[in-house]
Amino acid sequence: MSQAQFDALIDADERIEPDDWMPDDYRKTLVRQIAQHAHSEIIGMQPEGEWIARAPSLHRKAILTAKVQDEAGHGMYLYGAAESLGVDRAELLDRLHNKTQKYSSIFNYATPEWADVGAIGWLVDGAAIANQVPLCRCSYGPYGRAMVRICKEESFHQRQGYQIMLTLSEGTPEQKAMAQRALDRWWWPSIMMFGPPDTESPNTARSMAWGIKRYTNDELRQQFVAATVPQVELLGLTVPDPDLVWNEERGQYDFSEPDWAEFATMVKGEGEIPNLRISTRRNAHTEGEWVREAAVAYAEKQQQRERVA
Amino acid sequence: MPADLLTHVLRQADRILVLSHRLAEWLTHAPELEEDMALANISLDLLGQARHLYTYAGELEGLGHDEDYFAYFRDAADFRNPLIVEQPNGDFAVTMVRQVLHDHAALLYWESMCSSTDQTLAALAARAVNETRFHLRHSTGWLIRLGDGTDESHRRAQAGLDTMWPFAGELLGADDEDDLRAAGLIGPRFDGGWRAAVGATVVEATLTMPPEPPTRSGGLEGDHSEHLAPMLEVMQDLARAHPGATW
Ligand SMILES: [Fe+2]
Ligand SMILES: [Fe+2]
């Protein structure tokens, strides 16, 4: 295969498969994007995982455990998709642990209250869905197919999050106030999950030409706001943006500019929470090393025994 | 005083809930992603079993208590779980040893409960047997790999066995349940079957069975180690801060 064949597949909106020829930059862009996505799935287990032990009912405990387990599975599918491009999981984990690759900065926010679990499912998984549904049509086959499986589970995550917020909003005054505080904490970080404005997103055009990306950051952000504002109204809560208003002429919401300076700080991944996220991951990996070694040693012994037998 | 069926059911439910909670503590700390998933899976199965048992306990008790009452609004002294499940997780070997000791007992227990004269428990047992077989495959598979893996994993697996073994006796059930047994509500004792099954796993894992019989007990009567109360404090804190709330 050659550049011409690659271009033809892209133009015809067909899938590129692992054995197909692809430009180096296409491969690099995908590895970076898929790895960052995989890292986000497994780091994302932490803020909610902290609440499994404290979940206020057995029903919620079960649902939250299932959700965090799903996120581990998402990480595995995605590391698998990245491996099809010729890198291995251990290497990518090393890069996460030594901070040379990033994860979504949304997981650098704290989750001090139970309602944060609701807000994360509803808003963060919701924004992730808006980002990820178009990725199901990504030109790279293994990534697109992994995203189809993931998106199915993400919609359950979003529903359970909204359900938590709904129950809190209809609950005691303390519960409703807790829900509003969580919305206040997670609204802007969720809005910023779509990335910087189009005018400052240099890679968007190329990723769109390659069929990796299907909509611009600002387009996705608009869709998200349009879908979420009516849900906030149903909850009887208030969006923490006094300038949010329906613009009849544009058929869209107008809203304030997020605090991109804060976003830049969060992306840097410095401070107490990012350090905790990485050290938790790194410790799990280091402390598990003897277990992984034992599994390898045992498998080798078994092979030897079979050869002798 | 002989135990009634409610006490028996709470002993099982508490054992299973506390173990489920301990396993969930591994999430995001497991040695590899596959284990995060496997341990979460087992924790979830156990949580499902515990919820059914608590709901049934509420029916037996007849005071209108639901599953969350039993989990969130009883103090440590009201819990009737065996001490082994409340012990801290330790390293992966300690946790896997506990699972092996527990899962062998749980399988024999649920098998014996399939023919309980209590329809609810017999139906629950039929489902739990299948789940427990899968849990046992997971735990014995790991203990054998650890015991027969590297020098370090062997040493840790043996240390795990030595740590957990003293607590294993309570997994065989309580001494005050003979009336329930005579009535066919619970099955016959399975001490011999359990010793043989555990012994076989220990041998395959190239480990050495501790010479002394298990000594620690009290959990089934509500006399707990120092580890249960702090665990419950974490688990119950939020629910107790909002009594009567719906989640
Ligand atoms: Fe996910
Ligand atoms: Fe999710």
Side-chain angles (χ1 to χ4, degrees):
Chain A
M1 222 174 112
S2 65
Q3 176 83 50
Q5 283 166 305
F6 174 85
D7 291 343
L9 283 175
I10 295 286
D11 287 344
D13 218 357
E14 282 178 35
R15 300 270 209 201
I16 308 296
E17 294 300 332
D19 291 337
D20 292 343
W21 182 90
M22 59 188 91
D24 273 351
D25 281 350
Y26 177 84
R27 185 186 298 270
K28 264 188 219 147
T29 301
L30 275 169
V31 168
R32 189 173 43 98
Q33 182 172 335
I34 299 173
Q36 179 171 338
H37 191 167
H39 299 331
S40 303
E41 297 284 355
I42 67 169
I43 293 290
M45 294 164 68
Q46 291 182 30
E48 289 183 290
E50 291 167 10
W51 278 99
I52 292 175
R54 299 168 188 275
S57 73
L58 296 181
H59 170 65
R60 288 288 159 215
K61 198 179 179 76
I63 291 180
L64 187 57
T65 307
K67 178 182 193 281
V68 175
Q69 182 191 26
D70 282 349
E71 306 299 7
H74 297 174
M76 280 172 51
Y77 308 154
L78 288 166
Y79 286 118
E83 285 186 321
S84 72
L85 290 161
V87 286
D88 63 45
R89 197 211 289 186
E91 190 183 320
L92 296 176
L93 285 175
D94 282 344
R95 286 194 225 164
L96 168 65
H97 300 158
N98 66 28
K99 295 191 175 186
T100 53
Q101 278 179 346
K102 290 193 183 306
Y103 57 86
S104 171
S105 56
I106 194 76
F107 301 117
N108 290 339
Y109 292 90
T111 47
E113 297 188 278
W114 168 251
D116 293 310
V117 172
I120 289 181
W122 169 42
L123 296 174
V124 174
D125 289 73
I129 293 172
N131 264 326
Q132 290 172 8
V133 165
L135 288 174
C136 296
R137 295 191 287 126
C138 170
S139 60
Y140 185 58
Y143 191 29
R145 286 188 292 270
M147 292 317 306
V148 172
R149 287 174 77 175
I150 289 173
C151 283
K152 275 188 201 141
E153 295 178 345
E154 294 299 353
S155 58
F156 148 69
H157 297 174
Q158 191 191 20
R159 271 201 309 279
Q160 66 87 36
Y162 188 74
Q163 200 61 46
I164 290 175
M165 295 299 278
L166 190 61
T167 314
L168 293 174
S169 303
E170 292 170 346
T172 65
E174 292 83 22
Q175 285 178 304
K176 185 163 185 179
M178 194 200 288
Q180 181 65 52
R181 286 193 296 273
L183 174 58
D184 293 347
R185 271 193 290 277
W186 291 93
W187 175 261
W188 288 113
S190 305
I191 295 288
M192 291 191 279
M193 272 179 75
F194 298 94
D198 294 347
T199 47
E200 277 154 58
S201 178
N203 299 326
T204 294
R206 196 179 57 170
S207 284
M208 289 189 62
W210 273 340
I212 295 175
K213 231 177 144 131
R214 300 283 176 172
Y215 299 98
T216 72
N217 296 351
D218 286 333
E219 284 167 352
L220 290 168
R221 201 178 342 265
Q222 273 293 344
Q223 286 174 19
F224 176 76
V225 171
T228 310
V229 170
Q231 296 171 349
V232 178
E233 286 164 0
L234 264 172
L235 293 173
L237 300 178
T238 310
V239 173
D241 179 0
D243 295 331
L244 179 94
V245 56
W246 177 253
N247 183 325
E248 196 68 63
E249 213 170 293
R250 295 199 305 129
Q252 282 181 336
Y253 284 97
D254 291 335
F255 49 92
S256 320
E257 200 57 39
D259 182 351
W260 292 112
E262 179 199 289
F263 180 72
T265 312
M266 294 310 275
V267 168
K268 272 195 201 128
E270 288 161 5
E272 199 182 325
I273 297 176
N275 289 340
L276 174 70
R277 299 282 181 256
I278 291 296
S279 65
T280 300
R281 255 311 307 163
R282 210 190 277 141
N283 291 346
H285 193 72
T286 319
E287 282 161 26
E289 193 167 1
W290 67 271
V291 177
R292 298 190 300 275
E293 284 172 0
V296 172
Y298 178 79
E300 281 168 3
K301 282 188 198 176
Q302 280 297 84
Q303 265 182 3
Q304 244 163 26
R305 280 183 274 230
E306 273 162 32
R307 243 177 272 139
V308 174
Chain B
M1 204 178 72
D4 56 10
L5 190 61
L6 173 62
T7 303
H8 175 82
V9 169
L10 284 175
R11 281 170 173 161
Q12 310 311 316
D14 291 343
R15 162 176 60 83
I16 295 169
L17 175 67
V18 171
L19 187 61
S20 164
H21 188 97
R22 284 289 187 227
L23 284 177
E25 289 175 348
W26 271 102
L27 260 176
T28 72
H29 303 286
E32 52 191 15
L33 279 175
E34 285 79 353
E35 278 314 295
D36 278 310
M37 290 191 72
L39 295 172
N41 215 355
I42 297 167
S43 172
L44 265 177
D45 283 347
L46 294 174
L47 187 52
Q49 293 174 7
R51 293 177 64 190
H52 280 114
L53 286 165
Y54 282 133
T55 300
Y56 189 44
E59 288 172 29
L60 289 171
E61 190 195 39
L63 297 176
H65 288 144
D66 64 3
E67 55 175 20
D68 287 334
Y69 164 79
F70 291 106
Y72 291 96
F73 293 94
R74 288 181 308 147
D75 295 331
D78 303 322
F79 272 68
R80 290 289 179 272
N81 57 278
L83 298 177
I84 191 167
V85 292
E86 72 199 40
Q87 299 310 302
N89 285 333
D91 67 11
F92 190 68
V94 173
T95 293
M96 283 304 117
V97 166
R98 171 167 59 203
Q99 292 305 117
V100 165
L101 297 173
H102 172 272
D103 295 347
H104 275 306
L107 182 58
L108 291 163
Y109 170 73
W110 286 122
E111 280 174 350
S112 80
M113 290 302 287
C114 287
S115 44
S116 166
T117 54
D118 183 294
Q119 298 297 310
T120 305
L121 292 175
L124 245 172
R127 208 188 78 181
V129 161
N130 289 326
E131 290 175 350
T132 311
R133 279 208 187 97
F134 159 77
H135 303 166
L136 183 63
R137 230 192 341 266
H138 176 265
S139 59
T140 53
W142 267 114
L143 190 60
I144 290 164
R145 265 176 284 176
L146 297 179
D148 194 15
T150 63
D151 289 345
E152 180 179 9
S153 68
H154 179 87
R155 181 175 56 69
R156 287 178 184 258
Q158 185 65 52
L161 183 56
D162 297 341
T163 304
M164 282 297 173
W165 178 253
F167 297 98
E170 283 187 304
L171 290 169
L172 297 172
D175 297 329
D176 56 359
E177 298 188 352
D178 286 343
D179 289 359
L180 299 175
R181 209 164 275 123
L185 289 165
I186 66 174
R189 292 195 69 99
F190 46 82
D191 303 38
W194 178 80
R195 257 177 250 286
V198 169
T201 303
V202 166
V203 167
E204 202 179 341
T206 72
L207 299 172
T208 310
M209 201 67 142
E212 304 294 328
T215 49
R216 299 286 304 270
S217 63
L220 303 178
E221 278 72 46
D223 185 9
H224 290 280
S225 68
E226 71 273 30
H227 303 297
L228 183 64
M231 192 200 101
L232 292 181
E233 204 172 299
V234 171
M235 190 177 96
Q236 297 174 335
D237 180 57
L238 177 60
R240 288 187 177 203
H242 301 262
T246 310
W247 300 97

